[in-house]
Amino acid sequence: MSGINGSCFAETRKHHFQVNGKPMYFNGFNAYWLMCMASDPSTKTKVADAFQEASKIGMNIVRTWAFSDGGSKPLQTSPGVYNEDMFKGLDFVISEAKKHGLYLILSLVNNWDDFGGKKQYVQWARDHGGQYLNSDDEFFSNAVVKGYYKNHVKSVLTRLNSITGVAYKDDPTIFAWELMNEPRCQSDLSGKTLQEWIVEMAAEIKSIDKKHLLEIGLEGFYGESMPDKKQNNPGYEVGTDFISNNNLNNVDFATIHIYPDQWVSGGSPEAQAEFVEKWVKAHIEDCKAILRKPLLIAEFGKSTWSTGYTVKARDDYFQNIFNMAYESARSDGSCSGTTFWQVMAEGMDNWGDGYQVVLEQNPSTAAVIAQQSQKISSLNSVMEM
């Protein structure tokens, strides 16, 4: 599968990705743990192993964390103070990805408490910035907290890779920056708070780095700008607005996540399958007709802890999403790729969350992924002719 094309940065044209002027489609995975594993000499081989297994079955993109705020293995130990070993771990992830023909999507902060998240930033503002803050959602509006986030953005984007010597902002191995993993602001369902934060932070990133693509990290919930679309939501809102959030010049493409087992948890398997189909198709249509931007299905998976789980159920679920993505890509739709949640290397059982796929131990799932890689690759080569 065509991986990274020399020194060409990914671009968008209407609802397609392009590299070197040619349309490009993706089949890839999430692996949030890469920097952590790479920062420890005794575990860094797991990064190379996972990349090798992934590229063996034709995958060409990986999404991972460029954050770990506070806690036991921090990248950022306190505002603006960095752990060089962790940063070197991220350097290694980038250089290994390039070696294996994999693009990277790097997310810059978490909405959730894992690896610090907005909660840690708000706590830092209380501890170091003298701020009286009542809610973690003040991450999006408090000036001190926003300053901390902007500082982190700058630190990551201008980082000089200790292995390659290339600044992150100048490295085409990085496909895109992601503002935040799954931003939610449930204290303001009008969507205004989050919209203003996205406008400000997208501009901040583009002021430092105009070469890379940028996406928000959204799950895809609809909001107030087109209320009739809210019927596609799983029965609630989270303070985001898929249409207005993505309809900004500085946002280059849209993402959705899909977790019917969590979002429609009481629903029958049929109700969940129906939700998935409606969710994917609505967003594919809206990205083409309204946003005129590409769509990446950035997270989906099937948990071994979910009711009725079997490997076959997971394989069928992956196949179903892969088919929707491929049909869209093949017929000039907006869906340009998928990254499932998530790949783990062997010997990482204590890192698992139920969704992990260890490729070497799951030959049937690996085969479904390999087949999708082949189909996506055939689109890439047709487009190159």
Side-chain angles (χ1 to χ4, degrees):
M1 176 174 264
S2 17
I4 296 164
N5 193 323
S7 58
C8 294
F9 288 83
E11 300 169 321
T12 59
R13 183 158 182 234
K14 292 186 184 162
H15 54 280
H16 298 296
F17 293 121
Q18 284 194 337
V19 175
N20 206 11
K22 294 167 185 156
M24 184 83 183
Y25 298 91
F26 294 95
N27 186 35
F29 63 99
N30 285 271
Y32 73 83
W33 48 270
L34 293 169
M35 175 176 66
C36 279
M37 284 286 162
S39 68
D40 180 340
S42 70
T43 54
K44 74 194 293 189
T45 55
K46 294 199 184 306
V47 173
D49 292 348
F51 284 177
Q52 198 171 344
E53 289 301 315
S55 64
K56 221 189 273 178
I57 54 173
M59 289 198 271
N60 60 354
I61 195 163
V62 54
R63 174 173 172 261
T64 193
W65 297 167
F67 62 79
S68 183
D69 299 305
S72 58
K73 285 196 85 173
L75 168 64
Q76 190 175 195
T77 48
S78 61
V81 180
Y82 288 87
N83 169 356
E84 183 60 20
D85 289 340
M86 278 297 253
F87 242 144
K88 283 182 172 161
L90 193 51
D91 294 344
F92 180 75
V93 170
I94 295 168
S95 71
E96 281 300 298
K98 182 171 182 158
K99 250 185 234 174
H100 291 94
L102 292 162
Y103 282 102
L104 285 168
I105 294 174
L106 296 179
S107 187
L108 293 161
V109 73
N110 207 354
N111 179 71
W112 311 108
D113 298 352
D114 305 301
F115 298 94
K118 65 184 180 190
K119 183 183 187 143
Q120 178 64 76
Y121 272 82
V122 166
Q123 192 54 48
W124 278 337
R126 291 187 189 114
D127 298 344
H128 303 282
Q131 302 295 297
Y132 296 98
L133 301 175
N134 296 318
S135 151
D136 293 346
D137 280 355
E138 292 188 70
F139 173 88
F140 300 110
S141 53
N142 178 271
V144 170
V145 179
K146 289 196 290 184
Y148 291 161
Y149 175 80
K150 287 177 179 177
N151 189 59
H152 177 61
V153 163
K154 190 178 180 189
S155 302
V156 173
L157 271 57
T158 59
R159 165 78 179 178
L160 205 60
N161 190 312
S162 61
I163 300 166
T164 64
V166 179
Y168 287 11
K169 67 184 178 65
D170 299 324
D171 193 337
T173 309
I174 297 166
F175 178 75
W177 301 111
E178 174 175 291
L179 288 180
M180 183 178 210
N181 173 49
E182 301 186 333
R184 290 184 176 191
C185 184
Q186 270 157 313
S187 59
D188 180 8
L189 294 183
S190 76
K192 190 173 177 295
T193 300
L194 204 44
Q195 181 76 0
E196 286 174 357
W197 183 83
I198 292 164
V199 167
E200 184 176 344
M201 298 313 168
E204 183 72 15
I205 285 185
K206 292 291 186 179
S207 74
I208 301 170
D209 176 3
K210 289 185 177 56
K211 294 176 184 164
H212 283 105
L213 299 178
L214 175 66
E215 49 95 358
I216 301 163
L218 293 176
E219 300 159 277
F221 291 81
Y222 290 96
E224 297 307 316
S225 65
M226 298 184 84
D228 57 321
K229 302 259 177 212
K230 291 198 287 187
Q231 63 182 5
N232 295 304
N233 288 346
Y236 56 91
E237 293 169 60
V238 297
T240 64
D241 184 322
F242 182 76
I243 303 296
S244 65
N245 297 164
N246 284 304
N247 212 1
L248 299 168
N249 288 340
N250 283 331
V251 174
D252 297 298
F253 65 99
T255 61
I256 57 169
H257 297 183
I258 317 169
Y259 287 108
D261 52 338
Q262 295 174 31
W263 298 350
V264 196
S265 55
S268 64
E270 294 72 26
Q272 293 190 0
E274 201 179 309
F275 168 77
V276 168
E277 183 154 343
K278 199 167 98 172
W279 188 249
V280 172
K281 290 188 169 165
H283 289 90
I284 286 176
E285 275 168 39
D286 291 341
C287 281
K288 184 174 180 178
I290 301 170
L291 296 171
R292 294 187 284 281
K293 291 178 182 182
L295 173 69
L296 182 75
I297 302 176
E299 280 193 33
F300 64 94
K302 192 138 190 99
S303 171
T304 52
W305 307 336
S306 61
T307 327
Y309 172 83
T310 60
V311 171
K312 185 178 187 319
R314 178 175 70 193
D315 293 352
D316 291 348
Y317 180 62
F318 276 33
Q319 188 68 69
N320 178 36
I321 288 174
F322 286 159
N323 287 346
M324 287 192 275
Y326 174 69
E327 284 310 316
S328 168
R330 195 175 64 104
S331 55
D332 191 42
S334 66
C335 185
S336 298
T338 58
T339 50
F340 69 86
W341 184 273
Q342 60 163 322
V343 163
M344 286 201 168
E346 289 187 296
M348 286 183 67
D349 297 346
N350 56 333
W351 288 71
D353 60 355
Y355 291 92
Q356 69 274 17
V357 178
V358 179
L359 295 166
E360 303 95 310
Q361 294 169 3
N362 290 274
S364 66
T365 311
V368 170
I369 297 164
Q371 184 192 26
Q372 179 73 353
S373 294
Q374 233 165 350
K375 287 160 83 171
I376 291 293
S377 178
S378 72
L379 286 180
N380 286 338
S381 49
V382 166
M383 302 297 175
E384 281 173 17
M385 287 160 74

